[in-house]
Amino acid sequence: MRTPRGAVARRDGGSWSLRRIDPATGRDLGATDTPAVSGVTIIRLLGWAADGSARVVAYQPGPHAPAAFDAPLDMDQRLASLNVGTVRVLALHRGADSPTTLLTAPEDVVGIDVSDDLVRSGRTRHASPPGGGVGPRFWYWVVLVTVLVAGIAAYRNREGLALWLHTRRVRRARR
């Protein structure tokens, strides 16, 4: 299936939609037949899936985000971490009434990127969030610090340790 080349995100009122442009001239070729996304600060096109649907990242506004971004080139402000609460990856299927949510990131995750090969192939897997408890890096540092503290303590008390060992040898010899 052929997918649009030269698509850009454009804000129309309070919602965002994808429009086609001619890559050679920059001329607007009209809107794609994908649903608009509203209630977000901005969307970013990740790529086109094999079924022709667009995959976009939708940046959800944070609690302190301004109600409106009035400057014409305010992209940096829309993506600023203080203005983004979380992100969602959406599928914009042709002819659909609303976007399909593919992934919702945990709160305070303010950016995401997906390989275009993954978008085209449509492969997914179940996430494996980190398990409870501590990881191997923690245990490495615990052992290292313990060995260092024990080594320092033994070095500083070497005279007392030598005296204690000598006393033990003398007691054993008397038996």
PDB file of all heavy atoms in Angstrom, residues 28-61:
ATOM      1  N   ASP A  28       0.990  22.791  -0.351  1.00  0.00           N
ATOM      2  CA  ASP A  28       0.007  22.045   0.445  1.00  0.00           C
ATOM      3  C   ASP A  28      -0.881  21.243  -0.492  1.00  0.00           C
ATOM      4  O   ASP A  28      -1.501  21.792  -1.408  1.00  0.00           O
ATOM      5  CB  ASP A  28      -0.831  23.021   1.270  1.00  0.00           C
ATOM      6  CG  ASP A  28      -1.732  22.321   2.278  1.00  0.00           C
ATOM      7  OD1 ASP A  28      -1.896  21.087   2.205  1.00  0.00           O
ATOM      8  OD2 ASP A  28      -2.267  23.023   3.152  1.00  0.00           O
ATOM      9  N   LEU A  29      -0.921  19.908  -0.278  1.00  0.00           N
ATOM     10  CA  LEU A  29      -1.732  19.025  -1.115  1.00  0.00           C
ATOM     11  C   LEU A  29      -3.031  18.621  -0.445  1.00  0.00           C
ATOM     12  O   LEU A  29      -3.771  17.809  -0.974  1.00  0.00           O
ATOM     13  CB  LEU A  29      -0.933  17.770  -1.482  1.00  0.00           C
ATOM     14  CG  LEU A  29       0.350  18.015  -2.280  1.00  0.00           C
ATOM     15  CD1 LEU A  29       1.106  16.708  -2.476  1.00  0.00           C
ATOM     16  CD2 LEU A  29       0.039  18.684  -3.604  1.00  0.00           C
ATOM     17  N   GLY A  30      -3.297  19.177   0.729  1.00  0.00           N
ATOM     18  CA  GLY A  30      -4.558  18.900   1.419  1.00  0.00           C
ATOM     19  C   GLY A  30      -4.388  17.947   2.590  1.00  0.00           C
ATOM     20  O   GLY A  30      -3.319  17.374   2.823  1.00  0.00           O
ATOM     21  N   ALA A  31      -5.468  17.784   3.315  1.00  0.00           N
ATOM     22  CA  ALA A  31      -5.460  16.950   4.517  1.00  0.00           C
ATOM     23  C   ALA A  31      -5.465  15.473   4.153  1.00  0.00           C
ATOM     24  O   ALA A  31      -6.013  15.075   3.123  1.00  0.00           O
ATOM     25  CB  ALA A  31      -6.666  17.270   5.378  1.00  0.00           C
ATOM     26  N   THR A  32      -4.841  14.671   5.006  1.00  0.00           N
ATOM     27  CA  THR A  32      -4.947  13.224   4.860  1.00  0.00           C
ATOM     28  C   THR A  32      -6.300  12.817   5.431  1.00  0.00           C
ATOM     29  O   THR A  32      -6.948  13.592   6.126  1.00  0.00           O
ATOM     30  CB  THR A  32      -3.818  12.500   5.627  1.00  0.00           C
ATOM     31  OG1 THR A  32      -3.931  12.818   7.005  1.00  0.00           O
ATOM     32  CG2 THR A  32      -2.447  12.908   5.111  1.00  0.00           C
ATOM     33  N   ASP A  33      -6.744  11.629   5.145  1.00  0.00           N
ATOM     34  CA  ASP A  33      -8.046  11.195   5.648  1.00  0.00           C
ATOM     35  C   ASP A  33      -7.913  10.476   6.996  1.00  0.00           C
ATOM     36  O   ASP A  33      -8.614   9.520   7.278  1.00  0.00           O
ATOM     37  CB  ASP A  33      -8.764  10.323   4.626  1.00  0.00           C
ATOM     38  CG  ASP A  33      -7.952   9.103   4.223  1.00  0.00           C
ATOM     39  OD1 ASP A  33      -6.757   9.058   4.570  1.00  0.00           O
ATOM     40  OD2 ASP A  33      -8.507   8.206   3.569  1.00  0.00           O
ATOM     41  N   THR A  34      -6.994  10.964   7.828  1.00  0.00           N
ATOM     42  CA  THR A  34      -6.805  10.412   9.176  1.00  0.00           C
ATOM     43  C   THR A  34      -7.506  11.318  10.185  1.00  0.00           C
ATOM     44  O   THR A  34      -7.706  12.505   9.919  1.00  0.00           O
ATOM     45  CB  THR A  34      -5.300  10.320   9.512  1.00  0.00           C
ATOM     46  OG1 THR A  34      -4.719  11.614   9.390  1.00  0.00           O
ATOM     47  CG2 THR A  34      -4.585   9.339   8.598  1.00  0.00           C
ATOM     48  N   PRO A  35      -7.890  10.770  11.337  1.00  0.00           N
ATOM     49  CA  PRO A  35      -8.596  11.591  12.319  1.00  0.00           C
ATOM     50  C   PRO A  35      -7.689  12.644  12.953  1.00  0.00           C
ATOM     51  O   PRO A  35      -6.472  12.478  13.017  1.00  0.00           O
ATOM     52  CB  PRO A  35      -9.065  10.576  13.360  1.00  0.00           C
ATOM     53  CG  PRO A  35      -8.150   9.423  13.215  1.00  0.00           C
ATOM     54  CD  PRO A  35      -7.730   9.393  11.782  1.00  0.00           C
ATOM     55  N   ALA A  36      -8.301  13.715  13.404  1.00  0.00           N
ATOM     56  CA  ALA A  36      -7.569  14.772  14.108  1.00  0.00           C
ATOM     57  C   ALA A  36      -7.356  14.341  15.560  1.00  0.00           C
ATOM     58  O   ALA A  36      -8.078  13.495  16.092  1.00  0.00           O
ATOM     59  CB  ALA A  36      -8.355  16.070  14.061  1.00  0.00           C
ATOM     60  N   VAL A  37      -6.350  14.925  16.177  1.00  0.00           N
ATOM     61  CA  VAL A  37      -6.023  14.631  17.570  1.00  0.00           C
ATOM     62  C   VAL A  37      -6.213  15.922  18.359  1.00  0.00           C
ATOM     63  O   VAL A  37      -5.621  16.946  18.015  1.00  0.00           O
ATOM     64  CB  VAL A  37      -4.568  14.130  17.705  1.00  0.00           C
ATOM     65  CG1 VAL A  37      -4.245  13.813  19.152  1.00  0.00           C
ATOM     66  CG2 VAL A  37      -4.333  12.920  16.820  1.00  0.00           C
ATOM     67  N   SER A  38      -7.022  15.859  19.409  1.00  0.00           N
ATOM     68  CA  SER A  38      -7.266  17.064  20.208  1.00  0.00           C
ATOM     69  C   SER A  38      -6.867  16.823  21.656  1.00  0.00           C
ATOM     70  O   SER A  38      -6.654  15.694  22.080  1.00  0.00           O
ATOM     71  CB  SER A  38      -8.739  17.468  20.128  1.00  0.00           C
ATOM     72  OG  SER A  38      -9.546  16.413  20.588  1.00  0.00           O
ATOM     73  N   GLY A  39      -6.744  17.917  22.403  1.00  0.00           N
ATOM     74  CA  GLY A  39      -6.391  17.828  23.812  1.00  0.00           C
ATOM     75  C   GLY A  39      -4.919  17.593  24.058  1.00  0.00           C
ATOM     76  O   GLY A  39      -4.529  17.132  25.121  1.00  0.00           O
ATOM     77  N   VAL A  40      -4.080  17.892  23.062  1.00  0.00           N
ATOM     78  CA  VAL A  40      -2.638  17.692  23.197  1.00  0.00           C
ATOM     79  C   VAL A  40      -1.920  18.990  22.847  1.00  0.00           C
ATOM     80  O   VAL A  40      -2.476  19.852  22.164  1.00  0.00           O
ATOM     81  CB  VAL A  40      -2.138  16.535  22.296  1.00  0.00           C
ATOM     82  CG1 VAL A  40      -2.787  15.222  22.693  1.00  0.00           C
ATOM     83  CG2 VAL A  40      -2.394  16.824  20.831  1.00  0.00           C
ATOM     84  N   THR A  41      -0.677  19.109  23.324  1.00  0.00           N
ATOM     85  CA  THR A  41       0.076  20.311  22.971  1.00  0.00           C
ATOM     86  C   THR A  41       0.602  20.239  21.553  1.00  0.00           C
ATOM     87  O   THR A  41       0.699  21.251  20.874  1.00  0.00           O
ATOM     88  CB  THR A  41       1.257  20.539  23.938  1.00  0.00           C
ATOM     89  OG1 THR A  41       2.119  19.420  23.893  1.00  0.00           O
ATOM     90  CG2 THR A  41       0.770  20.750  25.349  1.00  0.00           C
ATOM     91  N   ILE A  42       0.947  19.028  21.082  1.00  0.00           N
ATOM     92  CA  ILE A  42       1.450  18.844  19.725  1.00  0.00           C
ATOM     93  C   ILE A  42       1.488  17.349  19.414  1.00  0.00           C
ATOM     94  O   ILE A  42       1.457  16.521  20.329  1.00  0.00           O
ATOM     95  CB  ILE A  42       2.864  19.474  19.570  1.00  0.00           C
ATOM     96  CG1 ILE A  42       3.220  19.658  18.103  1.00  0.00           C
ATOM     97  CG2 ILE A  42       3.903  18.670  20.313  1.00  0.00           C
ATOM     98  CD1 ILE A  42       4.430  20.552  17.891  1.00  0.00           C
ATOM     99  N   ILE A  43       1.508  17.001  18.136  1.00  0.00           N
ATOM    100  CA  ILE A  43       1.752  15.615  17.728  1.00  0.00           C
ATOM    101  C   ILE A  43       3.003  15.595  16.867  1.00  0.00           C
ATOM    102  O   ILE A  43       3.372  16.597  16.262  1.00  0.00           O
ATOM    103  CB  ILE A  43       0.565  14.981  16.971  1.00  0.00           C
ATOM    104  CG1 ILE A  43       0.280  15.711  15.660  1.00  0.00           C
ATOM    105  CG2 ILE A  43      -0.657  14.885  17.848  1.00  0.00           C
ATOM    106  CD1 ILE A  43      -0.748  15.030  14.776  1.00  0.00           C
ATOM    107  N   ARG A  44       3.665  14.438  16.840  1.00  0.00           N
ATOM    108  CA  ARG A  44       4.857  14.249  16.020  1.00  0.00           C
ATOM    109  C   ARG A  44       4.695  12.953  15.257  1.00  0.00           C
ATOM    110  O   ARG A  44       4.445  11.906  15.841  1.00  0.00           O
ATOM    111  CB  ARG A  44       6.107  14.204  16.891  1.00  0.00           C
ATOM    112  CG  ARG A  44       7.390  14.143  16.103  1.00  0.00           C
ATOM    113  CD  ARG A  44       8.607  14.317  16.993  1.00  0.00           C
ATOM    114  NE  ARG A  44       8.654  13.373  18.083  1.00  0.00           N
ATOM    115  CZ  ARG A  44       9.259  12.192  18.033  1.00  0.00           C
ATOM    116  NH1 ARG A  44       9.852  11.807  16.933  1.00  0.00           N
ATOM    117  NH2 ARG A  44       9.267  11.409  19.074  1.00  0.00           N
ATOM    118  N   LEU A  45       4.836  13.009  13.964  1.00  0.00           N
ATOM    119  CA  LEU A  45       4.679  11.835  13.109  1.00  0.00           C
ATOM    120  C   LEU A  45       5.880  10.919  13.251  1.00  0.00           C
ATOM    121  O   LEU A  45       7.014  11.336  13.063  1.00  0.00           O
ATOM    122  CB  LEU A  45       4.526  12.271  11.642  1.00  0.00           C
ATOM    123  CG  LEU A  45       4.389  11.168  10.606  1.00  0.00           C
ATOM    124  CD1 LEU A  45       3.112  10.365  10.842  1.00  0.00           C
ATOM    125  CD2 LEU A  45       4.385  11.759   9.212  1.00  0.00           C
ATOM    126  N   LEU A  46       5.629   9.654  13.630  1.00  0.00           N
ATOM    127  CA  LEU A  46       6.698   8.659  13.729  1.00  0.00           C
ATOM    128  C   LEU A  46       6.907   7.952  12.402  1.00  0.00           C
ATOM    129  O   LEU A  46       8.030   7.626  12.037  1.00  0.00           O
ATOM    130  CB  LEU A  46       6.357   7.626  14.798  1.00  0.00           C
ATOM    131  CG  LEU A  46       6.326   8.109  16.235  1.00  0.00           C
ATOM    132  CD1 LEU A  46       5.784   7.024  17.147  1.00  0.00           C
ATOM    133  CD2 LEU A  46       7.708   8.535  16.674  1.00  0.00           C
ATOM    134  N   GLY A  47       5.819   7.677  11.691  1.00  0.00           N
ATOM    135  CA  GLY A  47       5.922   6.976  10.415  1.00  0.00           C
ATOM    136  C   GLY A  47       4.593   6.402  10.008  1.00  0.00           C
ATOM    137  O   GLY A  47       3.564   6.643  10.643  1.00  0.00           O
ATOM    138  N   TRP A  48       4.629   5.621   8.944  1.00  0.00           N
ATOM    139  CA  TRP A  48       3.425   5.018   8.385  1.00  0.00           C
ATOM    140  C   TRP A  48       3.517   3.509   8.503  1.00  0.00           C
ATOM    141  O   TRP A  48       4.511   2.911   8.111  1.00  0.00           O
ATOM    142  CB  TRP A  48       3.271   5.428   6.923  1.00  0.00           C
ATOM    143  CG  TRP A  48       3.122   6.904   6.767  1.00  0.00           C
ATOM    144  CD1 TRP A  48       4.119   7.808   6.559  1.00  0.00           C
ATOM    145  CD2 TRP A  48       1.919   7.643   6.847  1.00  0.00           C
ATOM    146  NE1 TRP A  48       3.603   9.073   6.499  1.00  0.00           N
ATOM    147  CE2 TRP A  48       2.253   9.000   6.668  1.00  0.00           C
ATOM    148  CE3 TRP A  48       0.586   7.301   7.052  1.00  0.00           C
ATOM    149  CZ2 TRP A  48       1.303  10.015   6.685  1.00  0.00           C
ATOM    150  CZ3 TRP A  48      -0.360   8.317   7.061  1.00  0.00           C
ATOM    151  CH2 TRP A  48      -0.012   9.646   6.884  1.00  0.00           C
ATOM    152  N   ALA A  49       2.473   2.890   9.036  1.00  0.00           N
ATOM    153  CA  ALA A  49       2.420   1.434   9.182  1.00  0.00           C
ATOM    154  C   ALA A  49       2.099   0.806   7.833  1.00  0.00           C
ATOM    155  O   ALA A  49       1.686   1.484   6.890  1.00  0.00           O
ATOM    156  CB  ALA A  49       1.368   1.051  10.218  1.00  0.00           C
ATOM    157  N   ALA A  50       2.277  -0.505   7.760  1.00  0.00           N
ATOM    158  CA  ALA A  50       2.028  -1.229   6.509  1.00  0.00           C
ATOM    159  C   ALA A  50       0.571  -1.111   6.063  1.00  0.00           C
ATOM    160  O   ALA A  50       0.277  -1.141   4.871  1.00  0.00           O
ATOM    161  CB  ALA A  50       2.411  -2.698   6.677  1.00  0.00           C
ATOM    162  N   ASP A  51      -0.353  -0.941   7.024  1.00  0.00           N
ATOM    163  CA  ASP A  51      -1.769  -0.822   6.664  1.00  0.00           C
ATOM    164  C   ASP A  51      -2.145   0.590   6.221  1.00  0.00           C
ATOM    165  O   ASP A  51      -3.300   0.872   5.932  1.00  0.00           O
ATOM    166  CB  ASP A  51      -2.659  -1.272   7.822  1.00  0.00           C
ATOM    167  CG  ASP A  51      -2.539  -0.388   9.049  1.00  0.00           C
ATOM    168  OD1 ASP A  51      -1.730   0.566   9.051  1.00  0.00           O
ATOM    169  OD2 ASP A  51      -3.255  -0.655  10.034  1.00  0.00           O
ATOM    170  N   GLY A  52      -1.176   1.503   6.168  1.00  0.00           N
ATOM    171  CA  GLY A  52      -1.438   2.866   5.715  1.00  0.00           C
ATOM    172  C   GLY A  52      -1.797   3.834   6.823  1.00  0.00           C
ATOM    173  O   GLY A  52      -2.010   5.010   6.565  1.00  0.00           O
ATOM    174  N   SER A  53      -1.863   3.355   8.047  1.00  0.00           N
ATOM    175  CA  SER A  53      -2.193   4.253   9.155  1.00  0.00           C
ATOM    176  C   SER A  53      -0.936   4.976   9.634  1.00  0.00           C
ATOM    177  O   SER A  53       0.170   4.455   9.550  1.00  0.00           O
ATOM    178  CB  SER A  53      -2.824   3.473  10.315  1.00  0.00           C
ATOM    179  OG  SER A  53      -1.913   2.536  10.832  1.00  0.00           O
ATOM    180  N   ALA A  54      -1.145   6.174  10.111  1.00  0.00           N
ATOM    181  CA  ALA A  54      -0.035   6.972  10.629  1.00  0.00           C
ATOM    182  C   ALA A  54       0.164   6.656  12.097  1.00  0.00           C
ATOM    183  O   ALA A  54      -0.794   6.421  12.837  1.00  0.00           O
ATOM    184  CB  ALA A  54      -0.339   8.454  10.456  1.00  0.00           C
ATOM    185  N   ARG A  55       1.421   6.637  12.518  1.00  0.00           N
ATOM    186  CA  ARG A  55       1.757   6.468  13.935  1.00  0.00           C
ATOM    187  C   ARG A  55       2.320   7.799  14.401  1.00  0.00           C
ATOM    188  O   ARG A  55       3.276   8.325  13.821  1.00  0.00           O
ATOM    189  CB  ARG A  55       2.802   5.376  14.147  1.00  0.00           C
ATOM    190  CG  ARG A  55       2.372   4.007  13.655  1.00  0.00           C
ATOM    191  CD  ARG A  55       1.164   3.499  14.441  1.00  0.00           C
ATOM    192  NE  ARG A  55       1.006   2.070  14.291  1.00  0.00           N
ATOM    193  CZ  ARG A  55       0.064   1.499  13.578  1.00  0.00           C
ATOM    194  NH1 ARG A  55      -0.800   2.233  12.935  1.00  0.00           N
ATOM    195  NH2 ARG A  55      -0.025   0.189  13.520  1.00  0.00           N
ATOM    196  N   VAL A  56       1.726   8.354  15.449  1.00  0.00           N
ATOM    197  CA  VAL A  56       2.149   9.651  15.959  1.00  0.00           C
ATOM    198  C   VAL A  56       2.361   9.578  17.468  1.00  0.00           C
ATOM    199  O   VAL A  56       1.803   8.717  18.143  1.00  0.00           O
ATOM    200  CB  VAL A  56       1.125  10.770  15.650  1.00  0.00           C
ATOM    201  CG1 VAL A  56       0.937  10.960  14.164  1.00  0.00           C
ATOM    202  CG2 VAL A  56      -0.200  10.510  16.337  1.00  0.00           C
ATOM    203  N   VAL A  57       3.200  10.486  17.952  1.00  0.00           N
ATOM    204  CA  VAL A  57       3.346  10.690  19.387  1.00  0.00           C
ATOM    205  C   VAL A  57       2.509  11.906  19.725  1.00  0.00           C
ATOM    206  O   VAL A  57       2.647  12.960  19.095  1.00  0.00           O
ATOM    207  CB  VAL A  57       4.809  10.944  19.793  1.00  0.00           C
ATOM    208  CG1 VAL A  57       4.914  11.261  21.273  1.00  0.00           C
ATOM    209  CG2 VAL A  57       5.670   9.765  19.455  1.00  0.00           C
ATOM    210  N   ALA A  58       1.624  11.767  20.699  1.00  0.00           N
ATOM    211  CA  ALA A  58       0.793  12.876  21.156  1.00  0.00           C
ATOM    212  C   ALA A  58       1.305  13.322  22.520  1.00  0.00           C
ATOM    213  O   ALA A  58       1.368  12.523  23.451  1.00  0.00           O
ATOM    214  CB  ALA A  58      -0.666  12.441  21.246  1.00  0.00           C
ATOM    215  N   TYR A  59       1.695  14.574  22.617  1.00  0.00           N
ATOM    216  CA  TYR A  59       2.236  15.123  23.858  1.00  0.00           C
ATOM    217  C   TYR A  59       1.086  15.708  24.674  1.00  0.00           C
ATOM    218  O   TYR A  59       0.496  16.713  24.289  1.00  0.00           O
ATOM    219  CB  TYR A  59       3.286  16.188  23.547  1.00  0.00           C
ATOM    220  CG  TYR A  59       4.519  15.613  22.900  1.00  0.00           C
ATOM    221  CD1 TYR A  59       4.576  15.378  21.530  1.00  0.00           C
ATOM    222  CD2 TYR A  59       5.622  15.289  23.664  1.00  0.00           C
ATOM    223  CE1 TYR A  59       5.706  14.832  20.950  1.00  0.00           C
ATOM    224  CE2 TYR A  59       6.762  14.738  23.092  1.00  0.00           C
ATOM    225  CZ  TYR A  59       6.788  14.518  21.738  1.00  0.00           C
ATOM    226  OH  TYR A  59       7.901  13.974  21.165  1.00  0.00           O
ATOM    227  N   GLN A  60       0.784  15.051  25.790  1.00  0.00           N
ATOM    228  CA  GLN A  60      -0.296  15.500  26.663  1.00  0.00           C
ATOM    229  C   GLN A  60       0.192  16.694  27.483  1.00  0.00           C
ATOM    230  O   GLN A  60       1.307  16.679  27.987  1.00  0.00           O
ATOM    231  CB  GLN A  60      -0.709  14.383  27.619  1.00  0.00           C
ATOM    232  CG  GLN A  60      -1.117  13.095  26.944  1.00  0.00           C
ATOM    233  CD  GLN A  60      -2.365  13.245  26.132  1.00  0.00           C
ATOM    234  OE1 GLN A  60      -2.376  12.924  24.966  1.00  0.00           O
ATOM    235  NE2 GLN A  60      -3.416  13.759  26.727  1.00  0.00           N
ATOM    236  N   PRO A  61      -0.640  17.724  27.648  1.00  0.00           N
ATOM    237  CA  PRO A  61      -0.188  18.891  28.405  1.00  0.00           C
ATOM    238  C   PRO A  61       0.007  18.561  29.883  1.00  0.00           C
ATOM    239  O   PRO A  61      -0.727  17.767  30.467  1.00  0.00           O
ATOM    240  CB  PRO A  61      -1.305  19.918  28.214  1.00  0.00           C
ATOM    241  CG  PRO A  61      -2.487  19.137  27.764  1.00  0.00           C
ATOM    242  CD  PRO A  61      -1.981  17.880  27.133  1.00  0.00           C
TER     243      PRO A  61
END
